[in-house]
Amino acid sequence: QVQLVESGGGLVQAGGSRRLSCAASGRAISRSGMGWFRQGAGREREFVAAIHQNGLVTKYRESVEGRFTVSRDNAKNTMYLQMTSLKPEDTAVYYCAATSGISYALRSNDYTYWGQGTQVTVSS
């Protein structure tokens, strides 16, 4: 069993930056694909970014490409999401997720473990 805890959310002005962290416990995540998803008010949860278990392959949703960077430190059992040039439409609860036995995944259904989420609010 893996427990995931996100941190780093908060209020930021448009154009600002924020780094989210996702700390895992329970077992090592080095063999898990990991990802970030978000859910805005009244909206469905959507994919934001994914990173291969080896940390070398990443994928982003088009609207954050070039602004967000996902990374991981398997030695620290932690994943990160560096967000820059934030926009009001990035406002959402951000969730991290980890797979069980899958090295890389883009669909939420492929993820087994989820954090409780951290709120990011971007003011205009």
Side-chain angles (χ1 to χ4, degrees), residues 5-9 19-23 36 78-81 96 118:
V5 178
E6 302 95 338
S7 61
R19 188 176 84 154
L20 305 183
S21 298
C22 172
W36 289 96
T78 302
M79 176 179 64
Y80 306 95
L81 184 68
C96 70
T118 186

Side-chain angles (χ1 to χ4, degrees), residues 46-97:
E46 62 186 21
F47 167 81
V48 176
I51 185 165
H52 192 278
Q53 66 180 42
N54 63 17
L56 301 179
V57 178
T58 58
K59 179 72 174 178
Y60 302 90
R61 70 178 297 105
E62 184 176 353
S63 63
V64 308
E65 185 83 50
R67 300 189 296 121
F68 290 12
T69 303
V70 60
S71 62
R72 63 192 294 166
D73 185 338
N74 287 342
K76 294 183 178 180
N77 238 24
T78 302
M79 176 179 64
Y80 306 95
L81 184 68
Q82 178 68 49
M83 305 183 293
T84 64
S85 301
L86 282 161
K87 304 175 181 180
E89 51 264 42
D90 294 319
T91 295
V93 177
Y94 283 72
Y95 298 91
C96 70

Side-chain angles (χ1 to χ4, degrees), residues 1 15 31 59 97 107 110 112 116:
Q1 194 76 352
R31 295 188 176 187
K59 179 72 174 178
R107 302 180 307 168
D110 289 330
T112 302
Q116 83 291 346

Side-chain angles (χ1 to χ4, degrees), residues 1-36:
Q1 194 76 352
V2 176
Q3 292 79 44
L4 302 174
V5 178
E6 302 95 338
S7 61
L11 177 64
V12 60
Q13 289 188 333
S17 300
R18 203 81 181 180
R19 188 176 84 154
L20 305 183
S21 298
C22 172
S25 61
R27 69 169 177 84
I29 59 167
S30 56
R31 295 188 176 187
S32 295
M34 298 194 73
W36 289 96

